[in-house]
Amino acid sequence: MTVLELAGVEKHFGGLPAVNGVSLTVDEGEILALVGPNGAGKSTLLKAISGLQPATRGSAKFFGEELVGMKAHVVRQLGISMVLQTPRVFESMTVRENVIVGATFGVTGDRPSAAQAFARAEDALGFVGLAGYADAEVDSLNLHQQRFLELARSLAGQPKLLLLDEVMAGLNDTELQASIDIVRTARDELGVTVIWVEHVMKAVMSLAERVVVLNFGQILADGSPADVMAHPEVVTAYLGTEMKT
Amino acid sequence: MTASTASAKEGAPNTAARGSATAFRDFAPIAVVAVLLALVPLNFHDSRSMMTVIIAGMLFLSYTIAFNVIFGSTGQLFLCTGALAGIGGFGSVILSDRVGIPMTLSIVLAGAVAAVFGGLLSWIAVSRSLDTIFTGIVTLAFSLSFQNFVLGRRDLTGGENGLRVEAGKDGLLDTQVKPYYVFLALAVAYLILFRLLQRSHIGWAFRALRDDEVAAELSGVDVTRYRVYAGIIGSAMLGVAGAIFAHHRGFIGTSTYSFGSVDVRVLVMLAFGGIGTLIGPVLGAAVFTILDEILVSYAQLREVLYGVVTVGLFLGFRQGVIPALSSLWDRVVSSGGRGRKST
Amino acid sequence: MTAVVLDGIVLGLQFAILGAGLTLVYGLGGVVNLAHGQMAVFSAIVIARLIDHGVSTFLAVMIGIAAVGVLGLLIDLSLMKPVYRQKGESRVLLGLLLMLGVGFIIDGVLEWKYPIEALTIRISGDPIPILGVNMRRGSLIASGIIVVVGASLVLFFRFTTFGRATRSVIQDERGARLCGVNPATVRTVIFGLSGVLAGVVAVTRAMSTPVVSTAGVDLTIFALIVAVVGGLGSVSGSFFAGILLGIVNTFSAFYIGTYITTIVLLLAAALTIVLRPSGLLGEKP
């Protein structure tokens, strides 16, 4: 079943197109990696879908419902949750309280009762492995843990589509593997579809089932990781320089 | 709006396991404050001037709690506290004395009118995504326009001569000791409302959007809606308090609700006590009411003093007394512990 | 009709210089000086006291303007230090609240010590006809002074090194630092300059109406309205908005009534913020 259908999505900043006519169909349960050089428009595309930076033109349909023009909180309540590259957490709250906000407001349909929200927050924290930090203040978490906290805040609302923006940048090998496992488990156990912007090629190759390459705001290649990596244009445009690292 | 009463029953989401314990902890301070303030008239009931002073103190406590809902909870710098209270005051007097509506109803209606204005201001500020400073200037412009309106429409407001209030005479609001308890009840009701808001989902939304607007939106919080809620609720509280005061005082004029005599004091009281805290307004109102009384014979010095206090306060003591005390308390009780921030 | 326009321009020039002083300080350090009008009144009262003590008007004016300039410098060097350490919203809020407090202090002291003092500078001589309208000499001289001050400001920002440095700080504080401009020094000097402009307001205003010791709050409000309509941070915007609002003011006062006039001006400011937050001359958001 089609979860997301983008048709000719454009996002301009002061006349300059950052995303320049992207059309893409994402099926339920896919883990899709969005790669490309810096400034290719990957993050901008995610932000356009989530309503943070509304698209200038085009259409984005989520289970047939048009997203363009919706505010970010409405998109979230429809079941699309985004995790930002730089975590934005609620500083005055504990870890659990952060997740409770997501469980209370970021849900489709009726707001859950306090007890329900509490229970869902506990589950989400357990899922990302932060159960032991539930009562800690957020500023006691490191960057990596704060990203997991954001992920828990997302999952607590039981989303159908997760948008992850470079959440694996700067992690060490153990943390990277943990992140990969969590994302895969989220898909396997919770049935979440994942679109995920990534620079870390190791993660892309091990987690993604489909890779879409963006360059200058347009789709350059789309296919399985192996196919895409072999694509000659991709190699020249982007990977030729970065493969070695 | 209707959800606020419904979700008050749910309590804060994390009270699932320890509901009654937190309910006690959350409301006990209000009970203590109510009892302490109820004893105040025992000392002063035979002094008319002192009763006037402490009634004004209670009124300002109500104003400050209302302003705390708007500014403290959602960060909207409303520099029109006085104007909104004045809409309540003049509105209610005009409705009761001119139109002939019963006083209780006119107070409610005037509160509703203030709520409409406040909600509108809030909606403009949020939908145009004005920052603190621009929200401040727009509301200040509103405040001064109201002031000029009161001066200009002498047919309605009496202009600089003021307005004599008929409704409320020969009632509960007429003498000195009884009205004190009316204002005390109002202030306590406002404190309870503030706490109920904090414990409801609205309170969670307030905290989230005050911490980080983008993160709140991403978590599904309708930032616009909750900001406007705060504007509406706080403005209704201001309007009702201003209206009751008008009927008690029996006379209202241009200075009753002016920026200089209301907003400035409310801002200083809240900043002194602690922005966003439950008990901060109580402390701020108490301290400045006492200061006013001490300085009563140096009326001119009062403005200087307010200036010095404002400067000193924001220079050295930005967070306010209650947060300072509570973080001190936290450090003493649980050395580096896990205490939830709740003041 | 012509008379109303001319009166409007005369008043507008006063508005302009009032707004310019406020807008400069905001543009540089993000401080909304809610004591700007009070600073003008401070200078007026200093001048009035000096004249009372037999000092010549010219010398008194010079001392009074210098005094308020120094006051600006001192405020920047003392109270504003912690403000500049803050960033973004909290800097703006702290600056605004501190200057609100300073405004109370100046206002309170003036009303306490000199409740009935006022500055009036009498310019003798017959009215001068302009476009068939007899204009008072005082108004014309005041306007002349403001035009000269305004032109010097423009030249200063265009052609002197310090002026260009100021503009670079307004555009980008960090960039200016990289180019070897010290934003702190620029801010201090500009706060002093803003004080001097407040002094000019007091003097020019006193040539047509008495500046009383309680006028501070009103002057601050007018300064705020003009600065907002012109776009906070833009001196040329302030001049444009000042003259425009001056004409609006006299027209509205002449044809509608005075209490509506203030409301019209306030609405102008509010609408500018809501519709074009960067001011009339600023770029669209």
Side-chain angles (χ1 to χ4, degrees), chain B residues 8-315:
Chain B
K9 274 180 238 139
E10 320 177 346
N14 69 346
T15 54
R18 35 204 163 124
S20 57
T22 57
F24 176 75
R25 201 193 53 193
D26 282 355
F27 289 100
I30 302 179
V32 172
V33 165
V35 169
L36 286 178
L37 290 178
L39 299 176
V40 172
L42 291 182
N43 284 322
F44 305 115
H45 61 90
D46 46 3
S47 159
R48 200 176 167 82
S49 64
M50 273 313 288
M51 285 311 294
T52 309
V53 169
I54 59 174
I55 286 177
M58 278 298 109
L59 171 74
F60 271 85
L61 172 54
S62 298
Y63 285 165
T64 308
I65 301 166
F67 179 63
N68 201 14
V69 171
I70 304 173
F71 181 59
S73 303
T74 63
Q76 304 176 84
L77 184 59
F78 264 39
L79 294 179
C80 56
T81 327
L84 290 166
I87 288 175
F90 279 100
S92 181
V93 170
I94 291 169
L95 282 173
S96 58
D97 286 5
R98 300 274 172 89
V99 185
I101 290 172
M103 183 181 80
T104 320
L105 184 61
S106 74
I107 291 174
V108 173
L109 284 178
V113 175
V116 169
F117 275 99
L120 216 57
L121 283 170
S122 187
W123 180 76
I124 292 172
V126 183
S127 59
R128 297 295 302 175
S129 49
L130 303 184
D131 55 11
T132 315
I133 186 80
F134 278 165
T135 308
I137 297 175
V138 168
T139 50
L140 180 65
F142 172 74
S143 186
L144 300 168
S145 301
F146 174 75
Q147 190 78 4
N148 275 285
F149 180 83
V150 168
L151 267 174
R153 288 299 300 270
R154 346 174 94 253
D155 51 327
L156 277 177
T157 63
E160 63 259 38
N161 295 328
L163 201 57
R164 198 159 290 288
V165 183
E166 296 302 325
K169 270 186 170 178
D170 318 317
L172 204 53
L173 290 170
D174 195 20
T175 52
Q176 291 297 316
V177 177
K178 272 185 278 177
Y180 174 82
Y181 287 102
V182 173
F183 282 101
L184 173 62
L186 185 73
V188 171
Y190 281 8
L191 284 174
I192 293 172
L193 180 62
F194 187 83
R195 189 55 113 194
L196 287 176
L197 279 175
Q198 276 188 328
R199 288 165 54 96
S200 75
H201 75 278
I202 298 180
W204 282 91
F206 285 172
R207 276 178 81 192
L209 71 89
R210 235 190 68 161
D211 269 11
D212 187 330
E213 233 174 276
V214 173
E217 273 282 333
L218 279 179
S219 307
V221 177
D222 187 345
V223 171
T224 309
R225 173 200 300 228
Y226 289 101
R227 282 241 162 90
V228 175
Y229 278 4
I232 291 175
I233 298 169
S235 305
M237 291 161 76
L238 287 169
V240 168
I244 297 180
F245 182 70
H247 291 288
H248 156 69
R249 183 45 65 86
F251 174 83
I252 48 177
T254 47
S255 69
T256 316
Y257 304 109
S258 72
F259 180 79
S261 49
V262 177
D263 289 78
V264 167
R265 299 186 66 193
V266 166
L267 199 61
V268 174
M269 283 176 180
L270 183 61
F272 179 83
I275 295 166
T277 63
L278 174 78
I279 299 300
V282 180
L283 193 72
V287 166
F288 281 88
T289 304
I290 294 167
L291 261 181
D292 275 354
E293 181 46 29
I294 295 171
L295 289 171
V296 75
S297 35
Y298 309 93
Q300 299 300 337
L301 258 181
R302 214 157 75 172
E303 199 180 357
V304 183
L305 178 94
Y306 268 95
V308 172
V309 170
T310 312
V311 170
L313 210 56
F314 290 114
L315 221 47

Side-chain angles (χ1 to χ4, degrees), chain C residues 192-276:
Chain C
L193 177 66
S194 162
V196 168
L197 292 178
V200 173
V201 169
V203 172
T204 52
R205 201 173 163 74
M207 292 179 179
S208 49
T209 32
V211 178
V212 296
S213 59
T214 51
V217 176
D218 286 344
L219 288 179
T220 299
I221 288 163
F222 282 126
L224 196 59
I225 293 174
V226 172
V228 162
V229 174
L232 277 172
S234 155
V235 176
S236 47
S238 262
F239 268 82
F240 178 73
I243 294 171
L244 184 74
L245 292 176
I247 296 174
V248 168
N249 187 316
T250 43
F251 257 90
S252 161
F254 191 76
Y255 291 106
I256 312 177
T258 38
Y259 92 88
I260 295 284
T261 302
T262 317
I263 297 183
V264 166
L265 293 186
L266 291 162
L267 272 180
L271 281 179
T272 308
I273 288 179
V274 172
L275 302 177
R276 281 186 76 103

